[in-house]
Amino acid sequence: MSFFGLDCVRKREREEERRLKANDRDYNLSFKYATNAIKTSKYNAITFLPLNLFEQFQRIANAYFLFLLVLQVIPAISSLSWFTTVVPLILVLFVTAAKDAIDDINRHRSDKKVNNRKVQVLINGELRSEKWLDVQVGDIIKLENNQFVTADLLLLSSSEPLNLVYIETAELDGETNLKVKQALTVTGDMGDSVTALAAFNGEVRCEPPNNRLDRFTGTLSFAGQKYPLDNEKVLLRGCTLRNTEWCFGLVIFGGQETKLMQNCGKTTFKRTSIDRLMNQLVLCIFGFLAIMCAILAIGNYIWELEEGSKFTVFLPREEGVDAAFSSFLTFWSYVIILNTVVPISLYVSVEIIRLGNSFFIEWDRKMYYERSDTPAEARTTTLNEELGQIKYIFSDKTGTLTQNIMTFNKCSINAKSYGDVIDYSGQRLEITEDMESVDFSFNPLADPKFQFYDHSLVEAVKLENTEVHAFFRLLALCHTVMAEEKNEGDLHYQAQSPDEGALVTAARNFGFVFRSRTPESVTIVEMGTQRVYELLAILDFNNVRKRMSVIVRSPEGKLCLYCKGADTIIYERLHQSCSKLMDVTTEHLNEFAGDGLRTLALAYKDLDEAYFKEWKQRHHEASTALEDREEKLDKLSEEIEKDLMLLGATAIEDKLQDGVAHTIEQLAKADIKIWVLTGDKQETAENIGYSCNMLREEMNEVFIVAAHSPEAVREELRKARTTMKPGAEDTFVSKTILGNTPKIVADETVSGEYGLVINGHSLAYALEPSMEVEFLRTACMCKTIICCRVTPLQKAQVVELVKRYKRAVTLAIGDGANDVSMIKAAHIGVGISGQEGMQAVLASDYSFAQFRFLQRLLLVHGRWSYLRMCKFLRYFFYKNFTFTLVHFWYAFFCGFSAQTVYNEWFITLFNLVYTALPVLGMSLFDQDVSDSWSFEYPQLYVPGQLNLYFSKTAFAKCVLHSCYCSLVLFFIPYGAMYDTVRDDGRDVADYQSFAVLAQTCLLIAVCIQLGLDMSYWTVVNHVFVWGSLTMYFVVTFTMYSNGMYLVFTASFPFIGSARNSLQQLNVWLTILLTSILCVLPVLTYRFLLIQLQPTINDRVRLKVLQAKAAPPPPRRRTRIRRTSTRRSGYAFSHVQGYGDLVTSRRYLHRPAKPRSSGFTPTGRSLVFNPTGRSAGYSPTGHNQSPKQEVEATSLQMYRTRDMSF
Amino acid sequence: MMASSYNAKEEDGHHSGAVGPGGAGVIKSKKPDNTAFKQQRLPAWQPILTAGTVLPAFFVIGLIFIPIGIGLFVTSNNIKEFEIDYTGVEESSPCYVCSFNYTWNNTTPCQCSIPFSLDQPFESNVFMYYGLSNFYQNHRRYVKSRDDSQLNGDKSSLLNPSKECEPYRSSQGSPIAPCGAIANSLFNDTLELFYNFPNGTSIPIPLVKKGIAWWTDKHVKFRNPGGNNNNLTATFAGTAKPVNWRKPVFELDPSDPDNNGFVNEDFIVWMRTAALPTFRKLYRIIQKKKDNMMPTLPRGNYTLNVTYNYPVRSFEGRKRMILSTISWMGGKNPFLGIAYITVGSVCFFLGVVLLFIHHKYGSRNNNADIPN
């Protein structure tokens, strides 16, 4: 997706209407339409420097420093040499420029790649392969299957009947299902006749380029006729041609003018809350700076009046400078000196820290998934600390919580339950990986990946138990699965739902192999012998029926109806003789449901030949009826599906990903709210909710909102709220109506645990502006929220809703294209990689392979990142304020003359050299407690959600602390040096010695403070801290040495001052006193806090210390077993089945046209590849299929129907 | 306080042998390296604030600081210092006339003598300082107003001083050497000390003017142009003396030819600008008498003879003459001693308070189990 670029170039002028003629380049060129070349890169070799610099100086910090630089050039103002600003500025500019350059080079590359793609263009009556960038408006191009659409095209003709083409628009709007476009008949008639197309001279008049993906208006004039054009006839750039052999199209918009490119650049830049806070703080600091400078300027004015005017004997004023002007100049001089309160290196350091933490995420082996060889990936490097503040997680279900893999787990046949492994004492054993599974070698057609652990079932099959055989025969016959046999015995099933696939595979392994089907027959291999059953009818599944039946005639001529469906439905239709069996089976079903399995009941019925004939006749009539066809068919089905004989029940496990329940439990302990937003139907979603322990039996109540009118939804929400918190009513709502700005909805605490399940219909009402607050309030009172049948758009709306009304950080996690919208909407988007498609990953900020890694991402990496960033910011502000405020105090003793306390070189190097690395080291490596302890106490995460580590209050504390320290740092040396001399009577109270003393004190004090803040001293930290201190002394002594002075006399006037002052004992005693005084209050304060109000961190750290720092024993992960009687879920996908398709001749005998070159003739007609989402099932849990080249969807069915017209 | 070096046998440590599904390790696995750095398992020292570390620290600081403070205080108190203000602001002051009648263009220097007596004898070397108050030697424009290259003997700078020296860069067309406001305002009072015998006779006390500047200043930072040749007059030809000066730079010390030009020690001392508006600068050293049991300055009456050249009254400045002995910690300064004693006591006191708090509340909070 990335290569479709980021930025669009502005249009030259407004185009009123687009006119173009097919195959007439000269005519079209006269309009100067954009060619098909795209350019997403910003710079080229020449423009890079000026443009990039221009952009960089648009940033306020950089511009500010440029402004400072200008000030410094004015001699009357310049209080610091130019290099104090230039050196950091250049460094920052350089780093940013380098990063931009690398980004742009990548963009150049992808542009080039896209522009150089080949496409066949019709030029001068023949098809030529051309590069994309050479395609012009008005050209006719030919596209083949699976090719990207080159430009916005008017569809002319296609290989498919009725001039249909199928396109996938995932790159455009994120929807994976195929869409149909249809060409005009008049153009479609040209087919693939090159001569006809070359002669085509239609003229198109249409709307100018715009960004509306769903609209297109225009007309085509051809052969004297006018034809209207709409969106149905246009293929947009960014789509992919699917299931269509070829098509021809006329280029309407190219390159930058395509709707895709017009739409791009909307990717919103995500910023973290810390970023926003930092910006506010920087503004505050600017204000603070202005106030300080103003005070000093006033001070200067007074000084000049009182003292300066008299001191002119020794220090004459410059011409034309009076007290007022002098104070004006002083203001700016102090702006320069005190500029270090707005540190330019702050932004650079923040970026470096984030980058470092991103690397740590990518390097984490515990977030690496061995099976798919996928490490975690931090696709955005700017959001790390936000990971430590997540309050709401929005999760997809399929593929995220679950593996989307169904396994045949248990069954109950004729009142006997199979599937549990029972040891000799009769105890149920836990099934583990290394347990011996059943050996299916007796069956050459068995799927080797299928695993089953109960040996008694295979014994029963081998003993030719009739019921067991009937059971598996039913599974092998009653389904709509398609089989594909590439080699002898190498069977592949394509199932509509993974559940069905799992059932058929189970039958296959137990010796009832479904081998192939025709519209009229099903071939199965029963215990080694091949038998062909005549398929007489399929009574297909739908949402109301919740069951499916087949009627088959066995090779012996026996008529039989096999039916499977939801247990409640089947039970209603059973023969009375089954009542005993029913009771036992019900017990088993309850047991299965208790394990969180999806159950189906199976039943059969022998049919009477005469009755069936008569029924069949009626059925035929009904199916051709013009009115109420569905109803009539339903009635007929009802009629025949009764008095069934119960066979048993199956239990299928919708396999959760490993560790999902545990992860959810941990995240819940960390006070993170998890909302599940799924496109699945309510039962499945609820079931998963239970099996991953989000919904629990012990919950006080699980509210289910499934109303069909706004009033009813509102009523249900209200009812739920009064149940949870009686009495608290609607005080809030009135308030929001009064105020126009969105209010923050406060969290309401309720006693007890509640769950809320809401379906798509109700959600649509609940998300309306009038009700959204109500919905949010109710939802936030519940522990668990599950939204089912949610559209991608609604997913995003839910996320937006929470973002709008809760001051909280949200995270969305998902794996499919339907999650893209919410991933983009949330503060942080996480994509599950390696499942299906890459859309979610491409839109995400972080990606990894397993849901359970989320735990580590948040509780460990997120927490650490947040902690590190906050520590960094607190320390950084402290350091710079302390550094700067000393000048402020000194001003009162130097006539407010903007004299600095420190040497200029020290000012230049302080942030860049002396203190950069230690604080970076801390912010890269610090951990308060190790990762295993973080898991042990998920509550450690809570301070992040409450913004406790860095907020305005924390900042204010920093400033106060700095004020104190700077006072100490100025007045202790002041007192110590006042009228003092050296131990040989010579001068030591001179300006230079004082500067050396003050800067040494400062550096040591901030280093000690860093040491206090740092809780994790690795070797690197030691090296950084001690190295920086050493560096200071080395640099200082070097710069103040004779040699440097003799070479650069003007730059290093401090010669000898370090030597002469630092050899004095009282200087060192002063340094010691200052450092101790600086940390003493902090130490006391922190110790008191720990003693009186220990935070969770303090407690855990103390505990770690007490536990002698051993990591806690890894907790035994116990399988969560429910003892519930609630059961639901049945093994069908929620879409209409395709029984029709299976019985339709048309489907299986697609016209086999000769294929154009490059298309592998592996029989598309045979590949039946059903709905993309639920295609991959596997009995063992191995994700078997690499991503299918062609992703067909349910649309495929409609297509085959269309063909019958 | 010392804490973990992490157990290296982490749960993923032993996975490394297992190869991914690709098998055989031919395909390069994307599995991150198992290094302590990348897995953030670097062994580390994890200090935390506990009662066991903080409380002893407080007591130790207290116990160390108080003796140091006492030592400093006693030392400072033992230093003998005598200070006399000779600005002449009060009418009773002998220098009142000089200070009152002062004009820059006085040709005849004004003299005044101030009698004083020392109650205690000054042992060992005694240092004589002049002190100035309300004199902003640390004003930015003042500090800048010098040319280090010129002072270092650079010939081109001698004739073309830095712009920073304005308005004392040139005088009547010729460059000023030494240029700038600092040099221009060189302290030029002459102080002489006489011991008055009880019988009425007085003898001058020898004042040593060598060795009052930093070695680095005297030998590295300040150099006469053209090296140490004796013909300074020629070297400085073409330059003008600073406006306020009475004599050119090469005639600063008529008694010692080596103490002239930029390397004149009085000049060097002055050029080392003070950090604060009140400061003292070393003027002369009264060396301990050899082979004499007499103190350097015995108890008795003295006279300070001042050649009053330096005007400070216009900006309410003060001039002082200070006699001081020194110790290992330098001159008299009780601040450091008092500060050490105070901080030490505060530490000790805090230690006690915190100990009490820790006993009363600490154990309750720290031993409670963490809710999970």
Side-chain angles (χ1 to χ4, degrees), chain A residues 303 307 311 890 892-895 974-975 977-980 987-991 994, chain B residues 83 85 130-139 270 272-281 315-320 322:
Chain A
W303 188 87
E307 313 263 343
F311 196 56
Y890 189 53
F892 292 88
F893 298 89
C894 68
Y974 171 87
M977 288 299 114
Y978 187 80
D979 274 358
T980 305
D987 215 352
V988 76
D990 63 297
Y991 169 70
F994 186 78
Chain B
E83 194 174 307
D85 187 318
Y130 59 88
L132 292 174
S133 297
N134 208 19
F135 191 102
Y136 284 85
Q137 256 207 325
N138 60 0
H139 194 282
W270 179 255
R272 181 153 284 281
T273 55
L276 300 166
T278 300
F279 58 92
R280 60 173 68 171
K281 288 190 177 291
F315 56 90
E316 285 154 17
R318 289 298 198 136
K319 298 198 282 190
R320 290 165 297 153
I322 303 122

Side-chain angles (χ1 to χ4, degrees), chain A residues 631-696:
Chain A
E631 259 174 50
K632 284 179 184 164
L633 283 174
D634 275 350
K635 243 181 218 155
L636 280 168
S637 305
E638 285 284 339
E639 182 192 316
I640 201 160
E641 290 169 321
K642 66 178 182 197
D643 296 335
L644 302 173
M645 304 300 292
L646 185 64
L647 265 176
T650 59
I652 281 178
E653 186 179 359
D654 184 359
K655 268 202 148 174
L656 286 180
Q657 287 192 6
D658 291 340
V660 164
H662 180 68
T663 304
I664 285 176
E665 190 193 335
Q666 286 279 78
L667 294 177
K669 272 190 200 163
D671 209 13
I672 299 174
K673 296 223 162 87
I674 303 177
W675 296 34
V676 174
L677 309 177
T678 175
D680 248 324
K681 63 187 164 35
Q682 193 179 321
E683 287 90 337
T684 329
E686 250 179 83
N687 219 30
I688 291 298
Y690 275 101
S691 60
C692 60
N693 225 22
M694 292 180 65
L695 296 174
R696 281 183 298 273

Side-chain angles (χ1 to χ4, degrees), chain B residues 184-248:
Chain B
N184 188 55
S185 57
L186 176 69
F187 180 77
N188 57 358
D189 281 359
T190 312
L191 306 177
E192 287 165 309
L193 213 52
F194 292 89
Y195 177 64
N196 301 329
F197 286 103
N199 60 15
T201 55
S202 60
I203 54 158
I205 291 171
L207 303 175
V208 178
K209 58 170 79 168
K210 281 220 158 189
I212 57 172
W214 286 8
W215 186 92
T216 43
D217 282 356
K218 172 96 180 161
H219 294 96
V220 185
K221 195 170 184 183
F222 291 84
R223 288 194 301 200
N224 279 326
N228 283 328
N229 66 355
N230 286 330
N231 195 359
L232 285 176
T233 320
T235 315
F236 284 99
T239 63
K241 68 175 174 62
V243 187
N244 288 1
W245 287 20
R246 305 230 158 99
K247 329 175 250 197

Side-chain angles (χ1 to χ4, degrees), chain A residues 195-216:
Chain A
T195 40
L197 285 162
F200 178 68
N201 62 353
E203 186 178 346
V204 175
R205 282 165 171 257
C206 67
E207 60 186 22
N210 60 57
N211 62 4
R212 278 166 305 195
L213 293 174
D214 54 347
R215 242 197 69 186
F216 179 82

Side-chain angles (χ1 to χ4, degrees), chain A residues 61 98 144 194 290 322 433 470 515 620 683 792 801 855 872 934 1043 1051 1081:
Chain A
E144 285 172 5
V194 172
D322 57 357
E433 289 275 321
R515 197 142 193 194
H620 181 75
E683 287 90 337
L801 175 68
Q855 181 184 187
F872 168 80
S934 305
S1051 305

Side-chain angles (χ1 to χ4, degrees), chain A residues 932-1169:
Chain A
S932 42
W933 284 99
S934 305
F935 285 138
E936 186 77 0
Y937 296 106
Q939 311 90 301
L940 286 170
Y941 192 80
V942 176
Q945 298 167 336
L946 303 175
N947 263 323
L948 287 188
Y949 293 156
F950 191 76
S951 58
K952 283 183 185 148
T953 348
F955 176 73
K957 275 187 199 162
C958 275
V959 175
L960 278 183
H961 181 200
S962 299
C963 282
Y964 165 77
C965 279
S966 59
L967 279 171
V968 168
L969 281 167
F970 177 71
F971 284 101
I972 297 291
Y974 171 87
M977 288 299 114
Y978 187 80
D979 274 358
T980 305
V981 292
R982 293 202 323 183
D983 57 3
D984 58 0
R986 293 174 202 171
D987 215 352
V988 76
D990 63 297
Y991 169 70
Q992 294 188 343
S993 303
F994 186 78
V996 171
L997 172 63
Q999 66 199 34
T1000 312
C1001 285
L1002 170 77
L1003 198 70
I1004 292 181
V1006 296
C1007 272
I1008 295 180
Q1009 180 63 40
L1010 181 79
L1012 262 188
D1013 284 349
M1014 193 144 62
S1015 48
Y1016 197 75
W1017 287 77
T1018 64
V1019 191
V1020 187
N1021 295 94
H1022 280 289
V1023 169
F1024 281 177
V1025 172
W1026 305 118
S1028 290
L1029 276 177
T1030 319
M1031 175 84 99
Y1032 166 71
F1033 286 106
V1034 170
V1035 169
T1036 307
F1037 278 101
T1038 313
M1039 283 201 308
Y1040 303 168
S1041 68
N1042 304 352
M1044 289 297 274
Y1045 183 73
L1046 295 179
V1047 179
F1048 308 102
T1049 310
S1051 305
F1052 301 103
F1054 270 54
I1055 169 174
S1057 47
R1059 267 176 286 170
N1060 282 296
S1061 60
L1062 292 181
Q1063 64 173 353
Q1064 295 297 307
L1065 191 61
N1066 61 348
V1067 166
W1068 283 104
L1069 284 174
T1070 312
I1071 293 173
L1072 175 69
L1073 181 70
T1074 328
S1075 315
I1076 295 285
L1077 261 182
C1078 277
V1079 291
L1080 205 59
V1082 186
L1083 201 64
T1084 315
Y1085 177 68
R1086 291 198 185 163
F1087 184 71
L1088 275 179
L1089 271 192
I1090 291 176
Q1091 295 299 313
L1092 300 177
Q1093 287 182 322
T1095 60
I1096 177 76
N1097 296 55
D1098 298 328
R1099 283 162 183 245
V1100 174
R1101 293 184 64 192
L1102 194 71
K1103 190 154 180 145
V1104 175
L1105 192 72
Q1106 283 163 355
K1108 281 277 169 271
R1115 243 187 266 179
R1116 280 217 63 75
R1117 208 183 280 171
T1118 45
R1119 191 188 160 95
I1120 294 151
R1121 192 172 286 281
R1122 289 192 284 128
T1123 49
S1124 130
T1125 49
R1126 111 172 243 296
R1127 70 176 183 275
S1128 134
Y1130 40 93
F1132 287 110
S1133 158
H1134 57 256
V1135 296
Q1136 169 91 26
Y1138 31 69
D1140 277 1
L1141 209 57
V1142 168
T1143 47
S1144 121
R1145 261 168 196 289
R1146 292 172 298 240
Y1147 175 72
L1148 289 171
H1149 303 287
R1150 279 187 47 118
K1153 286 185 186 172
R1155 318 234 167 263
S1156 53
S1157 61
F1159 195 84
T1160 42
T1162 31
R1164 185 168 43 144
S1165 54
L1166 285 176
V1167 179
F1168 182 78
N1169 198 348

Side-chain angles (χ1 to χ4, degrees), chain A residues 1045 1049, chain B residues 145-162 165 168-169 175-180 182-184 186 212-242 245 247-253 256-272:
Chain A
Y1045 183 73
T1049 310
Chain B
S145 186
R146 65 192 284 163
D147 185 347
D148 279 320
S149 300
Q150 192 191 44
L151 297 172
N152 196 33
D154 186 83
K155 283 215 165 144
S156 60
S157 299
L158 181 71
L159 298 174
N160 185 20
S162 154
C165 286
Y168 299 112
R169 188 158 169 253
I176 295 180
C179 75
I182 313 178
N184 188 55
L186 176 69
I212 57 172
W214 286 8
W215 186 92
T216 43
D217 282 356
K218 172 96 180 161
H219 294 96
V220 185
K221 195 170 184 183
F222 291 84
R223 288 194 301 200
N224 279 326
N228 283 328
N229 66 355
N230 286 330
N231 195 359
L232 285 176
T233 320
T235 315
F236 284 99
T239 63
K241 68 175 174 62
W245 287 20
K247 329 175 250 197
V249 69
F250 45 87
E251 288 170 10
L252 278 175
D253 188 354
D256 182 358
D258 286 341
N259 198 20
N260 273 315
F262 294 149
V263 293
N264 178 280
E265 290 205 30
D266 282 328
F267 174 66
I268 293 174
V269 166
W270 179 255
M271 290 304 283
R272 181 153 284 281

Side-chain angles (χ1 to χ4, degrees), chain A residues 365 368-371 373, chain B residues 11-32 34:
Chain A
R365 280 163 80 89
Y368 165 80
Y369 191 53
E370 196 102 34
R371 284 211 188 115
D373 190 26
Chain B
E11 63 173 275
D12 66 346
H14 48 81
H15 276 217
S16 48
V19 187
V26 183
I27 306 148
K28 196 170 167 276
S29 164
K30 289 187 201 147
K31 185 164 187 169
N34 189 15

